[in-house]
Amino acid sequence: MKKPSALDIDAILDDAGTRIIVCCGAGGVGKTTTAAALGLRAAERGRHAVVLTVDPAKRLAQSMGLTELDNTPRLVSSPEGGGQLFAMMLDMKRTFDEIIEAHADPVRARQILSNPFYQSLSSSFSGTQEYMAMEKLGQLRRSDEWDLIIVDTPPSRSALDFLDAPERLGRFLDGRVIRLLTAPAKAGGRSAFRLLNAGFGLMAGALTKLLGAQVIKDLQTFVSALDAVFGGFRQRAEMTYQLLQAPGTAFLVVAAPERDAMREASYFVERLAEERMPLAGLVVNRVHMSPASVLSAARSAAAAEDLESRGEHELTAAVLRLHAGRMQLKARESREQEHFSSAHPTVPVVRVRAMSEDVHDLTGLRQIGDLLASA
């Protein structure tokens, strides 16, 4: 089998045409650390980079030596190379509020922000996080304040849900229920209730009795703002989707050398190809290596067994057993990577060896960056 080409990380970071890097993959494979390490290395090579994480865990802040991150980019480092590194964590509720404040007059904005239906939608509606990730990415890109944006996506397959955000939002807005709700809200007054009841029949009457007229009024107030606010967001989300397909974007699929994670990596690669998204390559994290690879697992285990049978050199036998286990693990990991490369022979790959401890500061991130670039 032909060996896959090596992924040249520095070539991607040094290319001024690369404006967006999206790190995606299964959960627990090191996406957040990879994104942060890429951001730091880019800054140290002269780029003005911002890392956006949509993972609510605090790993990104911790790895950068910060206590917390929020919806505003924070300066992390200004290296001697002239670049800068900023980082932020998506606050989907705050991002949604910012959209309302920017695209509605002050009176209407206050009505919407205090509306219970809006508060529920903006904090817990299925897909809101992906919608807001698209919106925030578009905001960062339009600001042109950074020449490189690195996105750390949510874990598992939901990491690609943001690709569906414009279509899903369109289906929601164009759905039958929303059309029925929009009609009475636009009509206003008593006719609104007649249209509402006409649209929902006996169910609407039952809901009015159950929930009360105030709830129905809140619902109408919320729906009346849909066209003014959501229409613009849908358009911007579609523009961001097109931006992700543009040559200035690079998708990095991140995986661990384990069966489930490599299968997820295959899924991401295939899905990105379907969506015509520019895939840069695969990063395989936490790969186990051995400085004594010439000593196979079988020979090591046999030597340990021989020593143990003679009751000699117990410490040496224990070390040989440990080495045998490491070589067996290395072989399993190699098989999983070979399966991926057989299925996707043209995808460039970079392997990052397993670290002895978790990364929790800029020094650790710099080490990861070195490993990414030198593999």
Side-chain angles (χ1 to χ4, degrees), residues 31 48 106 110 131 147 164 169 229 232 239 251 257 284 293 301 366:
K31 288 192 312 296
H48 291 267
R110 285 195 297 272
Y131 301 155
D147 59 27
D164 298 325
L169 182 60
V229 176
M239 290 174 61
F251 279 82
V284 185
S293 296
R366 193 171 291 111

Side-chain angles (χ1 to χ4, degrees), residues 289-363:
M289 303 177 183
S290 173
S293 296
V294 293
L295 181 59
S296 68
R299 289 177 58 196
S300 183
E305 185 175 351
D306 180 57
L307 289 174
E308 290 166 348
S309 66
R310 289 185 289 160
E312 299 176 354
H313 304 288
E314 294 182 0
L315 180 60
T316 302
V319 171
L320 287 168
R321 290 285 188 195
L322 184 63
H323 176 72
R326 174 61 64 92
M327 293 301 293
Q328 289 169 348
L329 175 60
K330 182 174 180 288
R332 285 198 302 273
E333 292 180 351
S334 295
R335 285 195 297 271
E336 296 304 330
Q337 294 173 73
E338 287 168 3
H339 290 158
F340 175 90
S341 295
S342 295
H344 308 284
T346 62
V347 177
V349 178
V350 62
R351 296 172 177 82
V352 179
R353 64 174 173 81
M355 301 284 285
S356 58
E357 58 184 17
D358 289 337
V359 174
H360 57 271
D361 55 20
L362 294 182
T363 300

Side-chain angles (χ1 to χ4, degrees), residues 117 203-216 219:
F117 286 94
M203 182 185 73
L207 284 175
T208 302
K209 291 179 181 178
L210 178 65
L211 302 175
Q214 183 58 47
V215 173
I216 297 298
L219 181 59

Side-chain angles (χ1 to χ4, degrees), residues 1 3 6 46 63 69 84 103 114 151 186 195 275 307 318 372:
M1 184 189 71
K3 186 177 180 180
S63 68
L69 290 171
Q84 287 184 313
H103 297 92
S114 62
V151 183
K186 288 180 178 178
L195 282 170
E275 300 288 339
L307 289 174
L372 282 165

Side-chain angles (χ1 to χ4, degrees), residues 52 88 111 201 264 277 301 305 314 333 367 369:
L52 164 65
M88 64 179 296
Q111 290 177 339
E264 286 290 281
M277 297 291 171
E305 185 175 351
E314 294 182 0
E333 292 180 351
Q367 286 181 293

Side-chain angles (χ1 to χ4, degrees), residues 49-328:
V50 58
V51 178
L52 164 65
T53 181
V54 292
D55 185 348
K58 294 185 177 182
R59 288 189 297 272
L60 179 60
Q62 293 168 348
S63 68
M64 293 183 171
L66 302 174
T67 55
E68 62 179 358
L69 290 171
D70 55 26
N71 213 41
T72 301
R74 295 190 182 191
L75 179 63
V76 175
S77 176
S78 296
E80 293 181 359
Q84 287 184 313
L85 174 62
F86 289 78
M88 64 179 296
M89 185 177 75
L90 178 74
D91 182 335
M92 66 178 184
K93 176 68 167 62
R94 183 62 221 147
T95 301
F96 217 146
D97 291 351
E98 290 171 355
I99 298 171
I100 301 299
E101 292 164 354
H103 297 92
D105 62 78
V107 175
R108 175 68 62 85
R110 285 195 297 272
Q111 290 177 339
I112 298 173
L113 294 175
S114 62
N115 188 282
F117 286 94
Y118 167 76
Q119 291 172 357
S120 176
L121 175 70
S122 61
S123 59
S124 59
F125 184 73
S126 175
T128 299
Q129 185 181 52
E130 288 76 27
Y131 301 155
M132 293 303 105
M134 290 285 281
E135 178 69 24
K136 182 55 68 175
L137 174 58
Q139 288 176 6
L140 293 172
R141 184 64 182 85
R142 287 190 298 272
S143 75
D144 211 28
E145 188 173 344
W146 299 274
D147 59 27
L148 179 61
I149 303 166
I150 301 174
V151 183
D152 165 41
T153 58
S156 193
R157 296 192 176 188
S158 64
L160 286 182
D161 284 349
F162 67 91
L163 297 178
D164 298 325
E167 181 182 354
R168 292 169 65 193
L169 182 60
R171 288 200 303 266
F172 170 69
L173 295 176
D174 296 333
R176 181 180 301 174
V177 172
I178 293 299
R179 289 201 303 271
L180 286 170
L181 288 172
T182 304
K186 288 180 178 178
R190 296 177 63 84
S191 60
F193 283 95
R194 287 199 296 271
L195 282 170
L196 185 63
N197 285 326
F200 288 98
L202 295 176
M203 182 185 73
L207 284 175
T208 302
K209 291 179 181 178
L210 178 65
L211 302 175
Q214 183 58 47
V215 173
I216 297 298
K217 184 178 180 181
D218 288 339
L219 181 59
Q220 291 176 317
T221 301
F222 167 67
V223 172
S224 69
L226 283 176
D227 285 344
V229 176
F230 283 85
F233 174 66
R234 176 166 50 183
Q235 182 181 19
R236 291 190 303 278
E238 290 169 351
M239 290 174 61
T240 304
Y241 181 86
Q242 293 170 6
L243 185 66
L244 291 174
Q245 292 179 314
T249 299
F251 279 82
L252 288 177
V253 176
V254 184
E258 301 159 3
R259 178 171 298 178
D260 290 344
M262 295 304 291
R263 285 177 177 173
E264 286 290 281
S266 289
Y267 165 79
F268 281 110
V269 167
E270 292 161 7
R271 175 67 195 282
L272 290 169
E274 291 174 6
E275 300 288 339
R276 299 190 303 278
M277 297 291 171
L279 173 65
L282 172 72
V283 175
V284 185
N285 277 327
R286 297 197 285 271
V287 176
H288 290 88
M289 303 177 183
S290 173
S293 296
V294 293
L295 181 59
S296 68
R299 289 177 58 196
S300 183
E305 185 175 351
D306 180 57
L307 289 174
E308 290 166 348
S309 66
R310 289 185 289 160
E312 299 176 354
H313 304 288
E314 294 182 0
L315 180 60
T316 302
V319 171
L320 287 168
R321 290 285 188 195
L322 184 63
H323 176 72
R326 174 61 64 92
M327 293 301 293
Q328 289 169 348

